[in-house]
Amino acid sequence: MGRVADKVALVTGGALGLGKATAEMLAREGAKVVVTDVNVEEGQKTADGIVAQGGEAIFVRHDASNEEEWKAAIQATLDKFGRLDVLVNNAGIGFLANVEETTLDDWRKTQSVNLDGVFLGTKYGIEAMRQSGGGSIINLSSIEGLIGDPDLAAYNASKGGVRIFSKSAALHCARNKYGIRINTVHPGYIWTPMVEAVTQGKDTEKYKALVNLHPIGRLGDPDDVAYGVLYLASDESKFVTGTELVIDGGYTAQ
Ligand code: NAP
């Protein structure tokens, strides 16, 4: 039996990076997985790969910043698997600029995916999980939701928002005895397409500078984060809600 056997999980941004690793990990541990993303080709590949390994998965095209598409993605999950037990609000975009360089459009675009998307997912996830009798919502924040970076003004704001919004929603669910837990995950720099776009490969000064920020001496692997999500998705964490799981190789311990 897997650690999330027979649970139904929806993972946003599941085409690449952390979302892909998480969808695959949850499927290996027995979950039925709905992979959603705006990247149709890679998202479908993630779902097909899970099925090829003997798991159960479907892909749904879904822009996590769009309210109507949230309703449709949850409905597709209920139509296919009949319930929702685990929701991983992973879809996010990076935006590298300081406060003076950031335009209002840049700011709004960043908040629309990283913060509105998490709000909508949590709202409609709670609605579906109440019908299923409970569940676990895992919201991807970042170390950038805990500490400031002068070149990540809009991203810092979005990830800080995810952190404290998730506590509010967790307390609401606990107070109402919904059996729904909500937690945040705070990765350091993990080697995914998002970070690759920043460093332009591994043989660069920027890459070495990022490694040096992590006392453990390397960037994270996507599975380093997926294992944390797996714990929060499973019943092993049944007393854990409203908290922050930092997976950062010691970055924020300094
Ligand atoms: P990634 O490599 O860029 O993958 C993100 C996936 O989400 C991509 O497939 C992307 O599609 C998709 N996506 C973007 N906007 C979307 C939207 N509106 N609706 C649905 N899907 C959307 O990112 P990642 O590094 O795996 O990061 C995943 C999450 O972890 C993000 O929330 C990120 O902020 C957070 N995080 C990452 C790190 C890190 O070091 N990698 C550290 C801390 C936190 P396209 O490629 O087509 O845009």
Side-chain angles (χ1 to χ4, degrees), residues 12 41 83 194:
T12 70
E41 198 181 329
R83 53 190 294 122
M194 182 186 277

Side-chain angles (χ1 to χ4, degrees), residues 98-181:
N98 67 41
V99 57
E100 293 189 271
E101 295 159 352
T102 303
T103 66
L104 186 56
D105 278 351
D106 300 330
W107 174 272
R108 285 187 173 144
K109 182 164 186 240
T110 308
Q111 309 314 324
S112 80
V113 181
N114 295 3
L115 191 52
D116 298 1
V118 171
F119 158 66
L120 291 169
T122 303
K123 179 179 171 68
Y124 290 106
I126 290 171
E127 186 179 277
M129 286 178 185
R130 286 183 65 186
Q131 295 168 37
S132 310
S136 175
I137 299 178
I138 298 123
N139 291 336
L140 263 292
S141 178
S142 168
I143 52 169
E144 305 301 345
L146 302 172
I147 56 168
D149 181 319
D151 292 321
L152 290 172
Y155 189 78
N156 270 156
S158 70
K159 293 300 183 179
V162 167
R163 171 183 172 273
I164 200 72
F165 159 72
S166 299
K167 291 183 194 296
S168 171
L171 292 172
H172 168 75
C173 291
R175 181 177 60 190
N176 287 291
K177 308 282 183 285
Y178 288 164
I180 300 171
R181 299 180 295 103

